[in-house]
Amino acid sequence: MDRQVVRGPDLPPSIGPYSHAVRAGGFVFVSGQPGIDPVTGEVPGPTFGAEARQAFTNLATVLGAAGSRPELVASTTVLVADIADFAELNTVFAEFFPTDPPTRMTMQVPLPRGLRISIGCTAVEAT
């Protein structure tokens, strides 16, 4: 099976020793993407919604670099620092996946750097 690490100049900043995505066997496996603005290196605003939208934007950027797109996402894992943000997460998730959304597992966990969200996924490569 072929395995290829996804690289590119437009990818959001990495906050650890991991690949943003790996392509293998017709799938794209995307690491958790934080809500950090790739230009400023900071969270884009004071609200969970602003941070979540940036995380989803970062996810879309990585998917594009890997040869996939949001419509081809099969499964997501969403980590939130505070489960009280769950309702707003649902709103942003529905904006990003407006029809036929992928599966989702959401867990409350401590996140580094005071972050409030991280989202990763498995998607199908575009043909």
Side-chain angles (χ1 to χ4, degrees), residues 4-72:
Q4 181 182 19
V5 171
V6 175
R7 294 182 172 86
D10 297 327
L11 295 179
S14 173
I15 62 170
Y18 57 84
S19 298
H20 284 292
V22 172
R23 282 193 298 254
F27 293 96
V28 176
F29 302 90
V30 180
S31 294
Q33 298 300 306
I36 297 174
D37 184 305
V39 174
T40 67
E42 302 292 329
V43 172
T47 66
F48 175 83
E51 187 174 334
R53 284 179 181 84
Q54 184 65 58
F56 280 89
T57 297
N58 293 346
L59 184 73
T61 298
V62 174
L63 285 167
S68 190
R69 56 186 185 274
E71 306 83 58
L72 297 176

CSV table of all heavy atoms in Angstrom, one decimal, residues 4-72:
chain,number,residue,atom,x,y,z
A,4,GLN,N,1.7,8.4,1.7
A,4,GLN,CA,2.3,9.7,1.3
A,4,GLN,C,2.0,10.7,2.3
A,4,GLN,O,0.8,11.0,2.6
A,4,GLN,CB,1.9,10.1,-0.1
A,4,GLN,CG,2.6,11.4,-0.5
A,4,GLN,CD,2.1,11.8,-1.9
A,4,GLN,OE1,1.1,11.4,-2.4
A,4,GLN,NE2,2.8,12.7,-2.5
A,5,VAL,N,3.0,11.4,2.9
A,5,VAL,CA,2.7,12.5,3.8
A,5,VAL,C,2.4,13.7,3.0
A,5,VAL,O,3.0,14.0,2.0
A,5,VAL,CB,4.0,12.7,4.7
A,5,VAL,CG1,3.8,14.0,5.5
A,5,VAL,CG2,4.2,11.6,5.6
A,6,VAL,N,1.4,14.4,3.4
A,6,VAL,CA,0.9,15.6,2.7
A,6,VAL,C,1.7,16.8,3.2
A,6,VAL,O,1.8,17.0,4.4
A,6,VAL,CB,-0.6,15.9,2.9
A,6,VAL,CG1,-1.0,17.2,2.3
A,6,VAL,CG2,-1.4,14.7,2.4
A,7,ARG,N,2.3,17.5,2.3
A,7,ARG,CA,3.1,18.7,2.6
A,7,ARG,C,2.6,19.9,1.7
A,7,ARG,O,2.1,19.6,0.7
A,7,ARG,CB,4.6,18.5,2.4
A,7,ARG,CG,5.2,17.5,3.4
A,7,ARG,CD,6.7,17.3,3.2
A,7,ARG,NE,7.3,16.5,4.2
A,7,ARG,CZ,7.3,15.1,4.1
A,7,ARG,NH1,6.8,14.5,3.1
A,7,ARG,NH2,7.9,14.5,5.1
A,8,GLY,N,2.9,21.1,2.2
A,8,GLY,CA,2.6,22.2,1.3
A,8,GLY,C,2.8,23.5,2.1
A,8,GLY,O,2.6,23.6,3.3
A,9,PRO,N,3.0,24.6,1.3
A,9,PRO,CA,3.3,25.9,1.9
A,9,PRO,C,2.1,26.6,2.5
A,9,PRO,O,2.2,27.4,3.4
A,9,PRO,CB,3.9,26.7,0.8
A,9,PRO,CG,3.3,26.1,-0.5
A,9,PRO,CD,3.2,24.6,-0.1
A,10,ASP,N,0.9,26.2,2.1
A,10,ASP,CA,-0.3,26.8,2.6
A,10,ASP,C,-0.9,26.1,3.8
A,10,ASP,O,-2.0,26.5,4.2
A,10,ASP,CB,-1.3,26.9,1.5
A,10,ASP,CG,-0.8,27.8,0.3
A,10,ASP,OD1,-0.1,28.8,0.6
A,10,ASP,OD2,-1.2,27.5,-0.8
A,11,LEU,N,-0.3,25.1,4.3
A,11,LEU,CA,-0.9,24.4,5.4
A,11,LEU,C,-0.8,25.2,6.7
A,11,LEU,O,0.2,26.0,6.9
A,11,LEU,CB,-0.2,23.1,5.6
A,11,LEU,CG,-0.3,22.0,4.5
A,11,LEU,CD1,0.4,20.8,4.8
A,11,LEU,CD2,-1.8,21.7,4.3
A,12,PRO,N,-1.8,25.1,7.6
A,12,PRO,CA,-1.7,25.8,8.9
A,12,PRO,C,-0.5,25.4,9.7
A,12,PRO,O,0.0,24.3,9.4
A,12,PRO,CB,-3.1,25.5,9.5
A,12,PRO,CG,-3.6,24.4,8.8
A,12,PRO,CD,-3.0,24.3,7.5
A,13,PRO,N,-0.1,26.2,10.7
A,13,PRO,CA,1.0,25.8,11.5
A,13,PRO,C,0.8,24.5,12.3
A,13,PRO,O,-0.3,24.3,12.8
A,13,PRO,CB,1.2,27.0,12.4
A,13,PRO,CG,-0.1,27.7,12.5
A,13,PRO,CD,-0.7,27.4,11.1
A,14,SER,N,1.8,23.7,12.4
A,14,SER,CA,1.7,22.5,13.2
A,14,SER,C,2.1,22.9,14.6
A,14,SER,O,3.0,23.7,14.9
A,14,SER,CB,2.7,21.5,12.7
A,14,SER,OG,2.8,20.4,13.5
A,15,ILE,N,1.4,22.3,15.6
A,15,ILE,CA,1.8,22.6,17.0
A,15,ILE,C,2.5,21.4,17.7
A,15,ILE,O,2.5,21.3,18.9
A,15,ILE,CB,0.6,23.1,17.8
A,15,ILE,CG1,-0.5,22.1,17.9
A,15,ILE,CG2,0.0,24.4,17.3
A,15,ILE,CD1,-1.6,22.4,18.9
A,16,GLY,N,2.9,20.5,16.9
A,16,GLY,CA,3.6,19.3,17.4
A,16,GLY,C,4.3,18.5,16.3
A,16,GLY,O,4.2,18.9,15.1
A,17,PRO,N,5.0,17.4,16.7
A,17,PRO,CA,5.7,16.6,15.7
A,17,PRO,C,4.8,15.6,15.0
A,17,PRO,O,4.8,14.4,15.4
A,17,PRO,CB,6.8,15.9,16.6
A,17,PRO,CG,6.1,15.8,17.9
A,17,PRO,CD,5.2,17.0,18.1
A,18,TYR,N,4.0,16.1,14.2
A,18,TYR,CA,3.0,15.2,13.4
A,18,TYR,C,2.8,15.7,12.0
A,18,TYR,O,3.1,16.9,11.7
A,18,TYR,CB,1.7,15.1,14.1
A,18,TYR,CG,1.0,16.4,14.4
A,18,TYR,CD1,0.2,17.0,13.4
A,18,TYR,CD2,1.1,17.1,15.6
A,18,TYR,CE1,-0.4,18.2,13.5
A,18,TYR,CE2,0.5,18.3,15.7
A,18,TYR,CZ,-0.3,18.9,14.7
A,18,TYR,OH,-0.9,20.1,14.9
A,19,SER,N,2.4,14.8,11.1
A,19,SER,CA,2.0,15.3,9.8
A,19,SER,C,0.6,15.8,9.8
A,19,SER,O,-0.3,15.3,10.5
A,19,SER,CB,2.1,14.1,8.8
A,19,SER,OG,3.4,13.6,8.8
A,20,HIS,N,0.3,16.8,9.0
A,20,HIS,CA,-1.0,17.3,8.9
A,20,HIS,C,-2.0,16.3,8.3
A,20,HIS,O,-3.1,16.2,8.8
A,20,HIS,CB,-1.1,18.5,8.0
A,20,HIS,CG,-0.6,19.8,8.6
A,20,HIS,ND1,-1.2,20.4,9.6
A,20,HIS,CD2,0.6,20.5,8.4
A,20,HIS,CE1,-0.5,21.5,10.0
A,20,HIS,NE2,0.6,21.6,9.3
A,21,ALA,N,-1.5,15.5,7.3
A,21,ALA,CA,-2.3,14.5,6.7
A,21,ALA,C,-1.4,13.4,6.1
A,21,ALA,O,-0.3,13.7,5.7
A,21,ALA,CB,-3.3,15.1,5.7
A,22,VAL,N,-2.0,12.2,5.9
A,22,VAL,CA,-1.3,11.2,5.2
A,22,VAL,C,-2.3,10.6,4.3
A,22,VAL,O,-3.5,10.3,4.7
A,22,VAL,CB,-0.8,10.1,6.2
A,22,VAL,CG1,-0.3,8.9,5.5
A,22,VAL,CG2,0.3,10.6,7.1
A,23,ARG,N,-1.9,10.4,3.0
A,23,ARG,CA,-2.7,9.7,2.0
A,23,ARG,C,-2.3,8.2,2.0
A,23,ARG,O,-1.1,7.9,1.9
A,23,ARG,CB,-2.5,10.3,0.6
A,23,ARG,CG,-3.3,11.5,0.4
A,23,ARG,CD,-3.3,11.9,-1.1
A,23,ARG,NE,-2.0,12.1,-1.6
A,23,ARG,CZ,-1.4,13.3,-1.9
A,23,ARG,NH1,-2.1,14.4,-1.7
A,23,ARG,NH2,-0.2,13.4,-2.3
A,24,ALA,N,-3.3,7.3,2.0
A,24,ALA,CA,-3.0,5.9,2.0
A,24,ALA,C,-4.2,5.1,1.5
A,24,ALA,O,-5.3,5.3,2.1
A,24,ALA,CB,-2.5,5.4,3.3
A,25,GLY,N,-4.0,4.2,0.6
A,25,GLY,CA,-5.1,3.3,0.2
A,25,GLY,C,-6.4,4.0,-0.3
A,25,GLY,O,-7.5,3.5,-0.1
A,26,GLY,N,-6.2,5.2,-0.9
A,26,GLY,CA,-7.4,5.9,-1.4
A,26,GLY,C,-8.1,6.8,-0.3
A,26,GLY,O,-9.1,7.4,-0.6
A,27,PHE,N,-7.5,6.8,0.8
A,27,PHE,CA,-8.1,7.7,1.9
A,27,PHE,C,-7.1,8.8,2.3
A,27,PHE,O,-5.9,8.7,2.1
A,27,PHE,CB,-8.4,6.8,3.2
A,27,PHE,CG,-9.5,5.8,3.0
A,27,PHE,CD1,-9.2,4.5,2.6
A,27,PHE,CD2,-10.8,6.2,3.1
A,27,PHE,CE1,-10.2,3.6,2.4
A,27,PHE,CE2,-11.8,5.3,2.9
A,27,PHE,CZ,-11.5,4.0,2.5
A,28,VAL,N,-7.6,9.8,3.0
A,28,VAL,CA,-6.8,10.9,3.5
A,28,VAL,C,-7.1,10.9,5.0
A,28,VAL,O,-8.3,11.0,5.4
A,28,VAL,CB,-7.2,12.2,2.9
A,28,VAL,CG1,-6.4,13.3,3.6
A,28,VAL,CG2,-6.9,12.2,1.4
A,29,PHE,N,-6.1,10.8,5.8
A,29,PHE,CA,-6.2,10.8,7.3
A,29,PHE,C,-5.6,12.1,7.8
A,29,PHE,O,-4.4,12.4,7.6
A,29,PHE,CB,-5.4,9.6,7.9
A,29,PHE,CG,-5.9,8.3,7.4
A,29,PHE,CD1,-5.3,7.7,6.3
A,29,PHE,CD2,-6.9,7.6,8.0
A,29,PHE,CE1,-5.7,6.5,5.8
A,29,PHE,CE2,-7.3,6.4,7.6
A,29,PHE,CZ,-6.7,5.8,6.4
A,30,VAL,N,-6.5,13.0,8.3
A,30,VAL,CA,-6.1,14.3,8.7
A,30,VAL,C,-6.0,14.4,10.2
A,30,VAL,O,-6.9,14.1,11.0
A,30,VAL,CB,-7.1,15.4,8.2
A,30,VAL,CG1,-6.7,16.8,8.6
A,30,VAL,CG2,-7.2,15.3,6.7
A,31,SER,N,-4.8,14.9,10.7
A,31,SER,CA,-4.6,15.1,12.1
A,31,SER,C,-5.5,16.2,12.6
A,31,SER,O,-6.0,17.0,11.9
A,31,SER,CB,-3.1,15.6,12.4
A,31,SER,OG,-2.2,14.6,12.0
A,32,GLY,N,-5.7,16.3,13.9
A,32,GLY,CA,-6.5,17.3,14.5
A,32,GLY,C,-6.0,18.7,14.2
A,32,GLY,O,-4.8,19.0,14.4
A,33,GLN,N,-6.9,19.5,13.7
A,33,GLN,CA,-6.5,20.9,13.3
A,33,GLN,C,-7.1,21.8,14.3
A,33,GLN,O,-8.3,21.9,14.5
A,33,GLN,CB,-7.1,21.2,11.9
A,33,GLN,CG,-6.6,20.3,10.8
A,33,GLN,CD,-5.1,20.4,10.6
A,33,GLN,OE1,-4.5,21.5,10.5
A,33,GLN,NE2,-4.4,19.3,10.7
A,34,PRO,N,-6.2,22.6,14.9
A,34,PRO,CA,-6.7,23.6,15.9
A,34,PRO,C,-7.2,24.9,15.2
A,34,PRO,O,-7.0,25.1,14.0
A,34,PRO,CB,-5.4,23.9,16.6
A,34,PRO,CG,-4.3,23.7,15.6
A,34,PRO,CD,-4.8,22.6,14.7
A,35,GLY,N,-7.9,25.7,15.9
A,35,GLY,CA,-8.4,26.9,15.4
A,35,GLY,C,-7.4,28.1,15.4
A,35,GLY,O,-7.7,29.1,16.0
A,36,ILE,N,-6.3,27.9,14.9
A,36,ILE,CA,-5.2,28.9,14.9
A,36,ILE,C,-5.1,29.5,13.5
A,36,ILE,O,-5.0,28.7,12.5
A,36,ILE,CB,-3.9,28.3,15.3
A,36,ILE,CG1,-3.9,27.8,16.7
A,36,ILE,CG2,-2.7,29.3,15.1
A,36,ILE,CD1,-2.7,27.1,17.2
A,37,ASP,N,-5.2,30.8,13.4
A,37,ASP,CA,-5.0,31.5,12.1
A,37,ASP,C,-3.6,31.3,11.6
A,37,ASP,O,-2.6,31.6,12.3
A,37,ASP,CB,-5.3,33.0,12.3
A,37,ASP,CG,-5.3,33.8,11.0
A,37,ASP,OD1,-4.2,33.7,10.3
A,37,ASP,OD2,-6.2,34.5,10.7
A,38,PRO,N,-3.5,30.7,10.3
A,38,PRO,CA,-2.1,30.4,9.8
A,38,PRO,C,-1.3,31.6,9.5
A,38,PRO,O,-0.1,31.6,9.5
A,38,PRO,CB,-2.4,29.6,8.5
A,38,PRO,CG,-3.8,29.9,8.2
A,38,PRO,CD,-4.5,30.3,9.4
A,39,VAL,N,-1.9,32.8,9.4
A,39,VAL,CA,-1.2,34.0,9.1
A,39,VAL,C,-0.6,34.6,10.4
A,39,VAL,O,0.6,35.0,10.5
A,39,VAL,CB,-2.0,35.1,8.4
A,39,VAL,CG1,-1.3,36.4,8.2
A,39,VAL,CG2,-2.5,34.5,7.0
A,40,THR,N,-1.5,34.7,11.4
A,40,THR,CA,-1.1,35.4,12.7
A,40,THR,C,-0.5,34.4,13.7
A,40,THR,O,0.2,34.8,14.6
A,40,THR,CB,-2.3,36.1,13.3
A,40,THR,OG1,-3.2,35.1,13.8
A,40,THR,CG2,-2.9,37.1,12.4
A,41,GLY,N,-0.8,33.1,13.6
A,41,GLY,CA,-0.4,32.1,14.6
A,41,GLY,C,-1.2,32.2,15.9
A,41,GLY,O,-0.9,31.6,16.9
A,42,GLU,N,-2.3,32.9,15.8
A,42,GLU,CA,-3.2,33.1,17.0
A,42,GLU,C,-4.6,32.6,16.7
A,42,GLU,O,-5.0,32.5,15.6
A,42,GLU,CB,-3.2,34.6,17.3
A,42,GLU,CG,-1.9,35.3,17.6
A,42,GLU,CD,-1.2,34.8,18.9
A,42,GLU,OE1,-2.0,34.4,19.8
A,42,GLU,OE2,0.0,34.7,18.9
A,43,VAL,N,-5.3,32.5,17.8
A,43,VAL,CA,-6.8,32.2,17.7
A,43,VAL,C,-7.4,33.4,17.1
A,43,VAL,O,-7.1,34.6,17.6
A,43,VAL,CB,-7.3,31.8,19.1
A,43,VAL,CG1,-8.8,31.7,19.0
A,43,VAL,CG2,-6.7,30.5,19.6
A,44,PRO,N,-8.3,33.3,16.1
A,44,PRO,CA,-8.9,34.5,15.4
A,44,PRO,C,-9.8,35.4,16.2
A,44,PRO,O,-10.2,36.4,15.7
A,44,PRO,CB,-9.5,33.9,14.2
A,44,PRO,CG,-9.9,32.5,14.6
A,44,PRO,CD,-8.9,32.1,15.6
A,45,GLY,N,-10.3,35.0,17.3
A,45,GLY,CA,-11.2,35.8,18.1
A,45,GLY,C,-11.5,35.2,19.4
A,45,GLY,O,-11.0,34.1,19.8
A,46,PRO,N,-12.3,36.0,20.2
A,46,PRO,CA,-12.5,35.6,21.6
A,46,PRO,C,-13.5,34.5,21.8
A,46,PRO,O,-13.7,33.9,22.9
A,46,PRO,CB,-12.9,36.9,22.3
A,46,PRO,CG,-13.6,37.6,21.2
A,46,PRO,CD,-12.9,37.3,19.9
A,47,THR,N,-14.3,34.1,20.8
A,47,THR,CA,-15.4,33.2,20.9
A,47,THR,C,-15.0,31.8,20.5
A,47,THR,O,-14.2,31.6,19.6
A,47,THR,CB,-16.6,33.7,20.2
A,47,THR,OG1,-16.4,33.6,18.8
A,47,THR,CG2,-17.1,35.1,20.6
A,48,PHE,N,-15.8,30.8,21.0
A,48,PHE,CA,-15.6,29.5,20.6
A,48,PHE,C,-15.9,29.4,19.1
A,48,PHE,O,-15.2,28.7,18.3
A,48,PHE,CB,-16.5,28.5,21.4
A,48,PHE,CG,-16.5,27.1,20.9
A,48,PHE,CD1,-15.5,26.2,21.2
A,48,PHE,CD2,-17.4,26.6,20.0
A,48,PHE,CE1,-15.4,24.9,20.7
A,48,PHE,CE2,-17.4,25.4,19.5
A,48,PHE,CZ,-16.4,24.5,19.9
A,49,GLY,N,-17.0,30.1,18.7
A,49,GLY,CA,-17.4,30.0,17.2
A,49,GLY,C,-16.3,30.5,16.3
A,49,GLY,O,-16.1,29.8,15.3
A,50,ALA,N,-15.6,31.5,16.6
A,50,ALA,CA,-14.5,32.0,15.8
A,50,ALA,C,-13.4,31.0,15.7
A,50,ALA,O,-12.9,30.7,14.6
A,50,ALA,CB,-14.0,33.4,16.3
A,51,GLU,N,-13.1,30.4,16.8
A,51,GLU,CA,-12.0,29.4,16.9
A,51,GLU,C,-12.4,28.2,16.1
A,51,GLU,O,-11.6,27.6,15.3
A,51,GLU,CB,-11.6,29.1,18.3
A,51,GLU,CG,-10.4,28.2,18.4
A,51,GLU,CD,-10.0,28.0,19.9
A,51,GLU,OE1,-10.2,28.9,20.7
A,51,GLU,OE2,-9.3,26.9,20.1
A,52,ALA,N,-13.7,27.8,16.3
A,52,ALA,CA,-14.2,26.6,15.6
A,52,ALA,C,-14.2,26.8,14.1
A,52,ALA,O,-13.8,25.9,13.3
A,52,ALA,CB,-15.6,26.2,16.1
A,53,ARG,N,-14.7,27.9,13.6
A,53,ARG,CA,-14.7,28.2,12.2
A,53,ARG,C,-13.3,28.2,11.6
A,53,ARG,O,-13.1,27.7,10.5
A,53,ARG,CB,-15.4,29.5,11.9
A,53,ARG,CG,-16.9,29.4,12.0
A,53,ARG,CD,-17.7,30.7,11.8
A,53,ARG,NE,-19.1,30.4,12.0
A,53,ARG,CZ,-19.7,30.5,13.1
A,53,ARG,NH1,-19.1,30.8,14.3
A,53,ARG,NH2,-21.0,30.2,13.2
A,54,GLN,N,-12.3,28.7,12.4
A,54,GLN,CA,-10.9,28.6,11.9
A,54,GLN,C,-10.4,27.2,11.8
A,54,GLN,O,-9.7,26.8,10.9
A,54,GLN,CB,-10.0,29.5,12.8
A,54,GLN,CG,-8.6,29.5,12.3
A,54,GLN,CD,-8.5,30.3,10.9
A,54,GLN,OE1,-8.9,31.4,10.8
A,54,GLN,NE2,-7.9,29.6,9.9
A,55,ALA,N,-10.8,26.4,12.8
A,55,ALA,CA,-10.4,25.0,12.8
A,55,ALA,C,-11.0,24.3,11.6
A,55,ALA,O,-10.2,23.5,10.9
A,55,ALA,CB,-10.8,24.3,14.1
A,56,PHE,N,-12.2,24.5,11.3
A,56,PHE,CA,-12.8,23.9,10.1
A,56,PHE,C,-12.2,24.5,8.8
A,56,PHE,O,-12.0,23.7,7.8
A,56,PHE,CB,-14.3,24.1,10.1
A,56,PHE,CG,-15.1,23.2,11.0
A,56,PHE,CD1,-15.3,23.5,12.3
A,56,PHE,CD2,-15.6,22.0,10.5
A,56,PHE,CE1,-15.9,22.6,13.2
A,56,PHE,CE2,-16.2,21.1,11.3
A,56,PHE,CZ,-16.4,21.4,12.7
A,57,THR,N,-11.8,25.7,8.8
A,57,THR,CA,-11.2,26.3,7.6
A,57,THR,C,-9.8,25.6,7.4
A,57,THR,O,-9.4,25.3,6.3
A,57,THR,CB,-11.0,27.8,7.8
A,57,THR,OG1,-12.3,28.4,7.8
A,57,THR,CG2,-10.2,28.4,6.6
A,58,ASN,N,-9.1,25.4,8.5
A,58,ASN,CA,-7.8,24.7,8.5
A,58,ASN,C,-8.0,23.3,8.0
A,58,ASN,O,-7.2,22.8,7.2
A,58,ASN,CB,-7.1,24.7,9.8
A,58,ASN,CG,-6.7,26.1,10.3
A,58,ASN,OD1,-6.6,27.1,9.4
A,58,ASN,ND2,-6.4,26.3,11.5
A,59,LEU,N,-9.0,22.6,8.4
A,59,LEU,CA,-9.3,21.3,8.0
A,59,LEU,C,-9.5,21.3,6.5
A,59,LEU,O,-9.0,20.4,5.8
A,59,LEU,CB,-10.6,20.7,8.7
A,59,LEU,CG,-10.9,19.3,8.4
A,59,LEU,CD1,-9.9,18.3,9.1
A,59,LEU,CD2,-12.3,19.0,8.9
A,60,ALA,N,-10.3,22.2,5.9
A,60,ALA,CA,-10.5,22.3,4.5
A,60,ALA,C,-9.2,22.5,3.7
A,60,ALA,O,-9.0,22.0,2.7
A,60,ALA,CB,-11.6,23.4,4.2
A,61,THR,N,-8.4,23.4,4.3
A,61,THR,CA,-7.1,23.6,3.6
A,61,THR,C,-6.3,22.4,3.5
A,61,THR,O,-5.7,22.1,2.5
A,61,THR,CB,-6.3,24.7,4.4
A,61,THR,OG1,-7.1,25.9,4.4
A,61,THR,CG2,-5.0,25.0,3.8
A,62,VAL,N,-6.2,21.6,4.6
A,62,VAL,CA,-5.4,20.4,4.6
A,62,VAL,C,-6.0,19.4,3.6
A,62,VAL,O,-5.3,18.7,2.9
A,62,VAL,CB,-5.3,19.8,6.0
A,62,VAL,CG1,-4.6,18.5,6.0
A,62,VAL,CG2,-4.5,20.8,6.9
A,63,LEU,N,-7.4,19.2,3.7
A,63,LEU,CA,-8.0,18.3,2.7
A,63,LEU,C,-7.7,18.7,1.3
A,63,LEU,O,-7.4,17.8,0.5
A,63,LEU,CB,-9.5,18.4,2.9
A,63,LEU,CG,-10.1,17.7,4.2
A,63,LEU,CD1,-11.5,18.0,4.4
A,63,LEU,CD2,-9.9,16.1,4.0
A,64,GLY,N,-7.7,20.0,1.0
A,64,GLY,CA,-7.4,20.4,-0.4
A,64,GLY,C,-6.0,20.1,-0.8
A,64,GLY,O,-5.7,19.6,-1.9
A,65,ALA,N,-5.0,20.3,0.1
A,65,ALA,CA,-3.6,20.0,-0.1
A,65,ALA,C,-3.4,18.4,-0.3
A,65,ALA,O,-2.5,18.0,-1.0
A,65,ALA,CB,-2.8,20.5,1.0
A,66,ALA,N,-4.3,17.7,0.3
A,66,ALA,CA,-4.2,16.2,0.2
A,66,ALA,C,-5.0,15.6,-0.9
A,66,ALA,O,-5.0,14.4,-1.1
A,66,ALA,CB,-4.7,15.6,1.5
A,67,GLY,N,-5.7,16.4,-1.7
A,67,GLY,CA,-6.4,15.9,-2.8
A,67,GLY,C,-7.8,15.4,-2.5
A,67,GLY,O,-8.4,14.5,-3.1
A,68,SER,N,-8.4,16.1,-1.5
A,68,SER,CA,-9.8,15.7,-1.1
A,68,SER,C,-10.5,17.0,-0.8
A,68,SER,O,-10.1,18.1,-1.2
A,68,SER,CB,-9.8,14.8,0.2
A,68,SER,OG,-11.1,14.3,0.4
A,69,ARG,N,-11.7,16.9,-0.3
A,69,ARG,CA,-12.5,18.1,0.0
A,69,ARG,C,-13.6,17.7,1.1
A,69,ARG,O,-13.8,16.5,1.3
A,69,ARG,CB,-13.2,18.6,-1.2
A,69,ARG,CG,-14.0,17.7,-2.0
A,69,ARG,CD,-14.5,18.3,-3.3
A,69,ARG,NE,-15.4,17.4,-4.0
A,69,ARG,CZ,-15.0,16.4,-4.8
A,69,ARG,NH1,-13.7,16.2,-5.1
A,69,ARG,NH2,-15.9,15.6,-5.4
A,70,PRO,N,-14.2,18.7,1.7
A,70,PRO,CA,-15.2,18.4,2.8
A,70,PRO,C,-16.3,17.4,2.5
A,70,PRO,O,-16.7,16.6,3.3
A,70,PRO,CB,-15.7,19.8,3.2
A,70,PRO,CG,-14.6,20.7,2.8
A,70,PRO,CD,-14.0,20.1,1.6
A,71,GLU,N,-16.8,17.5,1.2
A,71,GLU,CA,-17.9,16.6,0.9
A,71,GLU,C,-17.5,15.1,0.9
A,71,GLU,O,-18.3,14.2,0.9
A,71,GLU,CB,-18.4,16.9,-0.6
A,71,GLU,CG,-18.8,18.3,-0.8
A,71,GLU,CD,-17.6,19.2,-1.1
A,71,GLU,OE1,-16.9,18.9,-2.1
A,71,GLU,OE2,-17.4,20.2,-0.4
A,72,LEU,N,-16.1,14.8,0.9
A,72,LEU,CA,-15.6,13.5,0.8
A,72,LEU,C,-15.2,13.0,2.2
A,72,LEU,O,-14.7,11.9,2.3
A,72,LEU,CB,-14.5,13.4,-0.1
A,72,LEU,CG,-14.8,13.7,-1.6
A,72,LEU,CD1,-13.6,13.7,-2.5
A,72,LEU,CD2,-15.9,12.7,-2.1
